[in-house]
Amino acid sequence: ILAAMLRVLCLLAVVDSVLLLDSGMLFPRESASREVKELNGLWAFRADISPSRNQGFEEAWYKSRLIESGPVIDMPVPASYNDITQDPSLRTFTGWVWYEREVVVPTRWITDEEIRVVLRVGSAHYYSVVWVNGVKVTEHNGGHLPFEAEIGSVIRKDPTAKCRITIAVNNTLTLETLPPGTIQYMNDPTRYPKGFFVQNIFFDFFNYAGIHRSVLLYTTPKAFYVDDITVVTDFSDNAGLVNYKVSVKGSAAATLKLTLMDKEGHCVASSSGSVGALKVADVKLWWPYLMHENPGYLYSLEVHLTAANDKSTSEDVYLLPVGIRTVKVSSTQFLINNKPFYFHGVNKHEDSDIRGKGFDWPLIVKDFNLMKWMGANSFRTSHYPYAEEILQMCDQHGIVVIDECPGVGIKDIRSFGNASLTHHLVVMDELVRRDKNHPSVVMWSVANEPASEMPPAQFYFKTLIKHTKDLDPTRPVTYITNSNYARDLGAPYVDVVCVNSYFSWYHDPGYLEVIPIQLNTQFEDWYAKYQKPIIQSEYGADTLPGLHNDPPLMFTEEYQQAVLQHYHNVFDQKRKHYVIGELIWNFADFMTVQGITRVVGNKKGVFTRQRQPKAAAFILKERYWRLANETGKLPYWTKYPCSL
Ligand code: GCB
């Protein structure tokens, strides 16, 4: 009984502590009332190489210009710092690094006390502390998600001074971070240099670090502003429905007006009040790529706040793209707008030469062109949330997304404790808060291949999945499991079973003939146990481009092709029943930690890291277009595009 009571108390503590997010995280957009100033480019940079990694804090490097406390180098933002220099110790550095940039703030932003000035960091890995002119304005735990701070009062203290922004970022991973890791000191002086330690990680991608996404300043009115918007959409027959909730902050009383506009800018519905519903006649639904001739249809919701006093009228305007669609799951199907949707897509990474995980438009647009070329209608944000701009592209192009949080490599039993769970719940809060309004996001994934056989996994995932559903009752929730696990204690709580397997690769390497039987057994077992639709969330084989052998040998292009074809034969049987998707591992080759199983990274890409196709890319292209056309619903112009 005591144990049960303790558990309830723990759960209450956990639930209490996660309701802490008290503000929205709308993507910064320019409007009649809002300005945005990007701070991307070269920042001053120094890694704290002191043995304790703590010199920067001891000497308060944030108090004056970074160059005054020691040497600095140029560091581009956004980018991972690891591959920018020729210094091998910076490539694998663990600890605090310091970034600094001086910014000229428009005088008006300082003199006009009615303007609210916000500093926003799109993401930094992993723990960040931010100062403006030596004053700490915020800190944030976790990579891949944005954080911000209001800085108006700090910059107004000395209106003549430049605005100096200092950001210290620490990439250390512990058992309680997401993803988890451990720091291991090697204390034997006969084998290791003094102070030698390693960062152990339990995931298969390079632990890139630094400021990975845009840093910017944006403004809103101060007396009142649109803090958050939530939209949930529905339709019946020809009528669309946009249920909305707007949260307004500030002291002044303001009037709210909402207008929904179609692509041509015509008003199709309007409303007032902070909670309500907009009805759209002759609705144009948001459809996935290749499911409709006009995929990714977006309306635009203009949220308009006005307040008038004796002297003047002021306003705040925010424009949110809105796609009207529904998502449902049955025991055998995934339904978008009540029609069966089959995921034929990819798993990705934010990863490229030189920039590491740094945001890069040319790379993003190239990747979208490649996905569309190969007929991919979906991807999973393995193994962490991707940049918001990527999700905006998905909304526009109709690419369906399984949105994953950084819960990758939860393998150590100590990472199932209360502190870990509490942090994981907060990360889900932050993720749902950021991504809830994207029509492209159709499912949340709370983790990848956790040790879900361990007894504490049951309470952990039950709590985590329930919490995610409470945050967003409109989307299914899953986590990604591995077909090796005989017992999966979290699976009863997921809506869709997502399974990774690498038959004839990690098991029975070289024996392609085991794939049909082992894959068939995998599907039959999982379906019999849970009666839930299944996605093959990973499968693949490492392949060195240009390496050939026939009969197929591991690591050749022929072997990758053969693995795919063996898997596809089984998918074609099972997709008639309960298999609802297939996502190749991986879209492109990506960097990993050095090790005896990785030859300069993971080579399971169907494209190289430089985005050139291996032979397998053509197999997938052929297949995905065939799958898209199979329903016969595509209009003539999307039939298999020989010329694409
Ligand atoms: C997996 C992991 C993924 C790895 C992949 C591999 O199951 O989810 O992160 O990269 O296998 O290639 O081993």
Side-chain angles (χ1 to χ4, degrees):
I1 291 177
L2 195 62
M5 273 173 66
L6 271 177
R7 176 146 288 189
V8 170
L9 284 177
C10 286
L11 183 59
L12 287 177
V14 158
V15 169
D16 257 3
S17 61
V18 293
L19 300 172
L20 284 177
L21 296 185
D22 58 357
S23 60
M25 194 52 75
L26 290 173
F27 186 76
R29 289 175 196 280
E30 290 177 322
S31 76
S33 60
R34 293 171 175 236
E35 291 172 81
V36 176
K37 185 178 165 70
E38 275 202 0
L39 306 182
N40 298 340
L42 293 187
W43 288 51
F45 175 93
R46 182 186 320 134
D48 182 343
I49 53 170
S50 63
S52 68
R53 300 288 195 260
N54 213 30
Q55 193 181 347
F57 286 90
E58 283 157 12
E59 297 178 358
W61 288 353
Y62 50 86
K63 283 227 165 120
S64 54
R65 293 181 64 205
L66 203 49
I67 194 152
E68 287 171 26
S69 50
V72 294
I73 58 170
D74 285 338
M75 190 53 70
V77 170
S80 301
Y81 58 72
N82 311 74
D83 290 346
I84 298 292
T85 74
Q86 295 309 102
D87 179 355
S89 66
L90 185 61
R91 185 168 185 277
T92 51
F93 181 80
T94 304
W96 290 101
V97 298
W98 292 72
Y99 285 81
E100 181 205 74
R101 155 117 195 227
E102 286 188 328
V103 186
V104 180
V105 179
T107 314
R108 198 169 30 83
W109 291 13
I110 296 174
T111 52
D112 186 348
E113 298 264 348
E114 289 307 306
I115 295 180
R116 180 172 158 264
V117 184
V118 183
L119 169 63
R120 173 177 164 123
V121 180
S123 81
H125 282 201
Y126 285 92
Y127 200 99
S128 312
V129 185
V130 185
W131 296 262
V132 172
N133 296 339
V135 178
K136 186 170 141 190
V137 294
T138 192
E139 57 189 293
H140 184 257
N141 182 11
H144 315 284
L145 288 165
F147 52 96
E148 53 183 44
E150 215 178 311
I151 62 163
S153 58
V154 182
I155 56 176
R156 283 180 190 123
K157 268 190 205 146
D158 181 3
T160 56
K162 276 192 177 173
C163 164
R164 180 168 39 83
I165 300 171
T166 314
I167 307 181
V169 190
N170 192 333
N171 62 344
T172 307
L173 296 175
T174 70
L175 288 167
E176 288 164 4
T177 55
L178 276 191
T182 55
I183 298 288
Q184 190 180 359
Y185 282 89
M186 308 298 194
N187 294 326
D188 180 350
T190 65
R191 297 176 65 210
Y192 297 101
K194 193 167 181 293
F196 187 86
F197 69 92
V198 290
Q199 166 78 71
N200 295 316
I201 52 174
F202 316 116
F203 53 85
D204 182 37
F205 52 91
F206 192 77
N207 191 26
Y208 279 113
I211 302 178
H212 284 160
R213 296 181 193 149
S214 291
V215 180
L216 46 85
L217 294 176
Y218 73 90
T219 65
T220 74
K222 200 167 169 192
F224 59 88
Y225 58 92
V226 178
D227 176 56
D228 199 10
I229 308 170
T230 309
V231 295
V232 172
T233 64
D234 202 350
F235 69 94
S236 83
D237 302 323
N238 272 344
L241 198 63
V242 179
N243 297 295
Y244 69 86
K245 192 174 156 212
V246 179
S247 105
V248 174
K249 279 206 172 163
S251 47
T255 318
L256 193 57
K257 229 190 107 204
L258 290 99
T259 320
L260 192 70
M261 286 165 300
D262 65 14
K263 266 212 165 127
E264 283 72 45
H266 301 132
C267 167
V268 295
S270 60
S271 176
S272 56
S274 57
V275 180
L278 295 150
K279 284 208 186 72
V280 187
D282 290 324
V283 64
K284 291 199 176 78
L285 294 178
W286 185 94
W287 287 99
Y289 174 55
L290 299 179
M291 206 171 168
H292 193 266
E293 74 249 32
N294 190 8
Y297 190 91
L298 295 174
Y299 292 88
S300 179
L301 179 64
E302 186 185 285
V303 179
H304 202 129
L305 268 175
T306 31
N309 57 24
D310 342 331
K311 286 183 239 142
S312 61
T313 315
S314 43
E315 61 172 9
D316 186 24
V317 184
Y318 190 88
L319 276 158
L320 179 78
V322 172
I324 301 177
R325 59 107 183 91
T326 59
V327 172
K328 285 181 200 118
V329 174
S330 77
S331 64
T332 55
Q333 288 185 320
F334 197 96
L335 302 160
I336 296 184
N337 300 336
N338 300 328
K339 298 241 163 69
F341 176 76
Y342 186 78
F343 295 80
H344 43 89
V346 299
N347 290 278
K348 293 188 89 258
H349 262 300
E350 288 183 319
D351 175 273
S352 71
D353 286 333
I354 303 171
R355 352 174 126 56
K357 292 201 175 306
F359 180 88
D360 183 48
W361 271 121
L363 179 78
I364 290 169
V365 176
K366 179 72 177 176
D367 282 5
F368 270 81
N369 287 332
L370 290 175
M371 283 189 283
K372 292 181 80 171
W373 171 86
M374 74 195 284
N377 63 3
S378 51
F379 67 85
R380 166 163 77 109
T381 69
S382 42
H383 292 305
Y384 38 78
Y386 292 179
E388 285 161 277
E389 292 85 342
I390 295 178
L391 297 181
Q392 289 162 7
M393 292 269 293
C394 289
D395 293 344
Q396 282 160 18
H397 292 265
I399 302 293
V400 168
V401 175
I402 301 172
D403 202 352
E404 189 156 293
C405 94
V408 56
I410 306 177
K411 305 280 188 198
D412 188 300
I413 196 152
R414 291 167 291 174
S415 292
F416 286 105
N418 234 337
S420 298
L421 178 56
T422 304
H423 178 55
H424 206 148
L425 296 172
V426 174
V427 171
M428 286 314 298
D429 283 4
E430 291 186 10
L431 176 61
V432 173
R433 172 177 68 169
R434 192 194 74 160
D435 292 348
K436 61 190 170 186
N437 293 326
H438 289 287
S440 56
V441 173
V442 300
M443 181 153 65
W444 306 111
S445 161
V446 298
N448 178 69
E449 295 193 6
S452 48
E453 284 200 307
M454 289 183 179
Q458 183 164 9
F459 174 71
Y460 192 96
F461 283 104
K462 190 177 170 185
T463 311
L464 191 56
I465 291 169
K466 178 174 181 305
H467 178 76
T468 309
K469 281 172 184 266
D470 288 347
L471 288 171
D472 177 10
T474 72
R475 288 180 177 90
V477 182
T478 190
Y479 68 84
I480 314 298
T481 190
N482 188 293
S483 71
N484 293 333
Y485 301 155
R487 279 183 330 138
D488 193 297
L489 298 171
Y493 309 107
V494 303
D495 296 306
V496 171
V497 169
C498 291
V499 189
N500 300 343
S501 60
Y502 289 91
F503 304 126
S504 91
W505 191 260
Y506 293 120
H507 321 278
D508 308 300
Y511 294 102
L512 290 161
E513 61 270 40
V514 304
I515 295 176
I517 177 162
Q518 293 189 3
L519 189 57
N520 189 66
T521 306
Q522 166 197 291
F523 285 136
E524 293 292 298
D525 281 358
W526 283 87
Y527 192 73
K529 260 190 221 154
Y530 303 110
Q531 265 108 60
K532 289 176 184 173
I534 305 179
I535 295 178
Q536 181 74 39
S537 41
E538 289 181 22
Y539 70 105
D542 284 86
T543 305
L544 295 180
L547 195 60
H548 293 286
N549 208 86
D550 190 54
L553 296 185
M554 289 175 76
F555 295 100
T556 65
E557 299 208 29
E558 287 75 13
Y559 196 85
Q560 189 181 33
Q561 285 180 293
V563 168
L564 266 52
Q565 280 159 335
H566 280 81
Y567 266 79
H568 295 165
N569 290 339
V570 182
F571 296 158
D572 282 338
Q573 293 305 310
K574 302 297 175 196
R575 70 191 168 85
K576 296 182 193 127
H577 307 293
Y578 49 79
V579 168
I580 57 161
E582 50 187 89
L583 304 174
I584 186 75
W585 190 263
N586 188 285
F587 172 73
D589 293 345
F590 58 91
M591 191 50 71
T592 63
V593 70
Q594 297 186 68
I596 51 168
T597 60
R598 296 288 178 258
V599 189
V600 192
N602 186 309
K603 303 286 188 212
K604 294 193 186 71
V606 295
F607 296 96
T608 64
R609 203 183 192 205
Q610 296 70 36
R611 273 50 181 180
Q612 295 307 319
K614 301 178 191 173
F618 295 94
I619 301 255
L620 282 183
K621 178 181 177 223
E622 184 90 37
R623 173 171 176 80
Y624 285 178
W625 280 97
R626 186 161 48 75
L627 287 173
N629 278 298
E630 210 167 71
T631 57
K633 285 189 193 120
L634 284 182
Y636 65 91
W637 53 265
T638 39
K639 292 287 181 217
Y640 183 71
C642 304
S643 58
L644 267 180

